[in-house]
CSV table of all heavy atoms in Angstrom, one decimal:
chain,number,residue,atom,x,y,z
V,30,GLY,N,-101.3,-22.7,-44.4
V,30,GLY,CA,-100.4,-22.6,-43.3
V,30,GLY,C,-99.5,-21.4,-43.4
V,30,GLY,O,-99.4,-20.7,-44.4
V,31,TYR,N,-98.8,-21.1,-42.3
V,31,TYR,CA,-98.0,-19.9,-42.2
V,31,TYR,C,-96.5,-20.4,-42.1
V,31,TYR,O,-96.2,-21.4,-41.5
V,31,TYR,CB,-98.3,-19.1,-40.9
V,31,TYR,CG,-99.8,-18.6,-40.9
V,31,TYR,CD1,-100.8,-19.4,-40.4
V,31,TYR,CD2,-100.1,-17.4,-41.5
V,31,TYR,CE1,-102.1,-18.9,-40.3
V,31,TYR,CE2,-101.4,-16.9,-41.5
V,31,TYR,CZ,-102.4,-17.7,-40.9
V,31,TYR,OH,-103.7,-17.2,-41.0
V,32,ASP,N,-95.6,-19.6,-42.7
V,32,ASP,CA,-94.2,-19.9,-42.6
V,32,ASP,C,-93.7,-19.7,-41.2
V,32,ASP,O,-94.0,-18.7,-40.6
V,32,ASP,CB,-93.4,-18.9,-43.6
V,32,ASP,CG,-93.8,-19.2,-45.0
V,32,ASP,OD1,-94.1,-20.4,-45.3
V,32,ASP,OD2,-93.7,-18.3,-45.8
V,33,CYS,N,-92.9,-20.6,-40.7
V,33,CYS,CA,-92.5,-20.6,-39.3
V,33,CYS,C,-91.6,-19.4,-39.1
V,33,CYS,O,-91.7,-18.7,-38.0
V,33,CYS,CB,-91.7,-21.9,-39.0
V,33,CYS,SG,-92.7,-23.4,-38.9
V,34,ASP,N,-90.6,-19.1,-40.0
V,34,ASP,CA,-89.7,-18.0,-39.7
V,34,ASP,C,-90.4,-16.7,-39.7
V,34,ASP,O,-90.1,-15.8,-38.9
V,34,ASP,CB,-88.6,-18.0,-40.7
V,34,ASP,CG,-89.1,-18.2,-42.1
V,34,ASP,OD1,-90.3,-18.4,-42.3
V,34,ASP,OD2,-88.3,-18.1,-43.1
V,35,GLU,N,-91.4,-16.5,-40.6
V,35,GLU,CA,-92.2,-15.3,-40.6
V,35,GLU,C,-93.0,-15.1,-39.4
V,35,GLU,O,-93.1,-14.0,-38.8
V,35,GLU,CB,-93.1,-15.2,-41.9
V,35,GLU,CG,-92.3,-15.3,-43.2
V,35,GLU,CD,-91.5,-14.1,-43.4
V,35,GLU,OE1,-91.7,-13.1,-42.8
V,35,GLU,OE2,-90.5,-14.2,-44.2
V,36,VAL,N,-93.6,-16.2,-38.9
V,36,VAL,CA,-94.4,-16.1,-37.7
V,36,VAL,C,-93.5,-15.8,-36.5
V,36,VAL,O,-93.9,-15.0,-35.6
V,36,VAL,CB,-95.2,-17.4,-37.5
V,36,VAL,CG1,-95.9,-17.5,-36.1
V,36,VAL,CG2,-96.2,-17.7,-38.6
V,37,LEU,N,-92.4,-16.4,-36.5
V,37,LEU,CA,-91.4,-16.2,-35.3
V,37,LEU,C,-91.0,-14.7,-35.3
V,37,LEU,O,-91.0,-14.1,-34.2
V,37,LEU,CB,-90.2,-17.1,-35.5
V,37,LEU,CG,-89.2,-17.1,-34.3
V,37,LEU,CD1,-89.9,-17.5,-33.0
V,37,LEU,CD2,-88.1,-18.0,-34.6
V,38,VAL,N,-90.6,-14.2,-36.5
V,38,VAL,CA,-90.2,-12.8,-36.5
V,38,VAL,C,-91.4,-11.8,-36.1
V,38,VAL,O,-91.2,-10.9,-35.4
V,38,VAL,CB,-89.7,-12.4,-37.9
V,38,VAL,CG1,-89.4,-10.9,-38.1
V,38,VAL,CG2,-88.4,-13.2,-38.2
V,39,TYR,N,-92.6,-12.2,-36.6
V,39,TYR,CA,-93.7,-11.3,-36.3
V,39,TYR,C,-94.0,-11.3,-34.8
V,39,TYR,O,-94.3,-10.3,-34.2
V,39,TYR,CB,-94.9,-11.8,-37.1
V,39,TYR,CG,-96.2,-11.2,-36.6
V,39,TYR,CD1,-96.6,-9.9,-37.1
V,39,TYR,CD2,-97.1,-11.9,-35.8
V,39,TYR,CE1,-97.7,-9.3,-36.7
V,39,TYR,CE2,-98.3,-11.3,-35.4
V,39,TYR,CZ,-98.6,-10.0,-35.8
V,39,TYR,OH,-99.8,-9.4,-35.4
V,40,GLU,N,-93.9,-12.5,-34.2
V,40,GLU,CA,-94.2,-12.6,-32.7
V,40,GLU,C,-93.1,-11.9,-31.9
V,40,GLU,O,-93.4,-11.3,-30.9
V,40,GLU,CB,-94.3,-14.1,-32.3
V,40,GLU,CG,-95.5,-14.8,-32.9
V,40,GLU,CD,-96.8,-14.3,-32.3
V,40,GLU,OE1,-96.8,-13.7,-31.2
V,40,GLU,OE2,-97.9,-14.5,-33.0
V,41,PHE,N,-91.9,-12.0,-32.4
V,41,PHE,CA,-90.8,-11.2,-31.7
V,41,PHE,C,-91.1,-9.7,-31.7
V,41,PHE,O,-90.9,-9.0,-30.7
V,41,PHE,CB,-89.5,-11.6,-32.3
V,41,PHE,CG,-88.9,-12.9,-31.9
V,41,PHE,CD1,-87.9,-13.5,-32.7
V,41,PHE,CD2,-89.3,-13.5,-30.7
V,41,PHE,CE1,-87.4,-14.8,-32.3
V,41,PHE,CE2,-88.8,-14.7,-30.3
V,41,PHE,CZ,-87.8,-15.4,-31.1
V,42,GLN,N,-91.4,-9.2,-32.9
V,42,GLN,CA,-91.7,-7.8,-33.0
V,42,GLN,C,-92.9,-7.4,-32.3
V,42,GLN,O,-93.0,-6.3,-31.8
V,42,GLN,CB,-91.8,-7.5,-34.5
V,42,GLN,CG,-90.5,-7.6,-35.3
V,42,GLN,CD,-90.7,-7.4,-36.8
V,42,GLN,OE1,-91.9,-7.4,-37.3
V,42,GLN,NE2,-89.6,-7.2,-37.5
V,43,LYS,N,-93.9,-8.3,-32.1
V,43,LYS,CA,-95.1,-8.0,-31.4
V,43,LYS,C,-94.9,-7.8,-29.9
V,43,LYS,O,-95.6,-7.0,-29.3
V,43,LYS,CB,-96.1,-9.2,-31.6
V,43,LYS,CG,-97.5,-9.0,-31.1
V,43,LYS,CD,-98.4,-10.2,-31.4
V,43,LYS,CE,-99.8,-10.0,-30.8
V,43,LYS,NZ,-100.6,-11.1,-31.1
V,44,VAL,N,-93.9,-8.5,-29.3
V,44,VAL,CA,-93.6,-8.3,-27.9
V,44,VAL,C,-92.7,-7.1,-27.7
V,44,VAL,O,-92.3,-6.8,-26.6
V,44,VAL,CB,-93.1,-9.6,-27.3
V,44,VAL,CG1,-94.1,-10.7,-27.4
V,44,VAL,CG2,-91.7,-10.0,-27.9
V,45,GLY,N,-92.2,-6.5,-28.8
V,45,GLY,CA,-91.4,-5.3,-28.7
V,45,GLY,C,-89.9,-5.5,-29.0
V,45,GLY,O,-89.1,-4.6,-28.8
V,46,LEU,N,-89.5,-6.7,-29.4
V,46,LEU,CA,-88.1,-7.0,-29.7
V,46,LEU,C,-87.7,-6.4,-31.1
V,46,LEU,O,-88.6,-6.4,-32.0
V,46,LEU,CB,-87.8,-8.5,-29.7
V,46,LEU,CG,-87.9,-9.2,-28.3
V,46,LEU,CD1,-87.8,-10.7,-28.5
V,46,LEU,CD2,-86.9,-8.6,-27.3
V,47,ILE,N,-86.5,-5.9,-31.2
V,47,ILE,CA,-86.0,-5.5,-32.5
V,47,ILE,C,-85.3,-6.7,-33.1
V,47,ILE,O,-84.4,-7.3,-32.5
V,47,ILE,CB,-85.0,-4.3,-32.2
V,47,ILE,CG1,-85.6,-3.2,-31.5
V,47,ILE,CG2,-84.4,-3.9,-33.6
V,47,ILE,CD1,-84.7,-2.1,-31.1
V,48,VAL,N,-85.7,-7.0,-34.3
V,48,VAL,CA,-85.2,-8.2,-35.0
V,48,VAL,C,-84.4,-7.8,-36.3
V,48,VAL,O,-84.8,-7.0,-37.0
V,48,VAL,CB,-86.4,-9.1,-35.4
V,48,VAL,CG1,-85.9,-10.4,-36.0
V,48,VAL,CG2,-87.2,-9.4,-34.2
V,49,ASP,N,-83.3,-8.4,-36.4
V,49,ASP,CA,-82.4,-8.3,-37.6
V,49,ASP,C,-82.1,-9.7,-38.2
V,49,ASP,O,-81.5,-10.5,-37.5
V,49,ASP,CB,-81.1,-7.5,-37.3
V,49,ASP,CG,-80.3,-7.3,-38.5
V,49,ASP,OD1,-80.8,-7.3,-39.6
V,49,ASP,OD2,-79.0,-7.1,-38.3
V,50,ARG,N,-82.6,-9.9,-39.4
V,50,ARG,CA,-82.4,-11.2,-40.1
V,50,ARG,C,-81.1,-11.2,-40.8
V,50,ARG,O,-80.8,-10.3,-41.6
V,50,ARG,CB,-83.6,-11.5,-41.0
V,50,ARG,CG,-84.9,-11.5,-40.3
V,50,ARG,CD,-86.1,-11.9,-41.2
V,50,ARG,NE,-86.0,-13.3,-41.6
V,50,ARG,CZ,-87.0,-14.0,-42.2
V,50,ARG,NH1,-88.2,-13.3,-42.4
V,50,ARG,NH2,-86.9,-15.2,-42.5
Side-chain angles (χ1 to χ4, degrees):
Y31 300 93
D32 294 331
C33 290
D34 49 354
E35 299 294 339
V36 172
L37 186 61
V38 172
Y39 171 77
E40 293 293 340
F41 282 159
Q42 295 174 342
K43 187 177 178 181
V44 299
L46 294 174
I47 302 173
V48 184
D49 182 20
R50 302 183 68 166

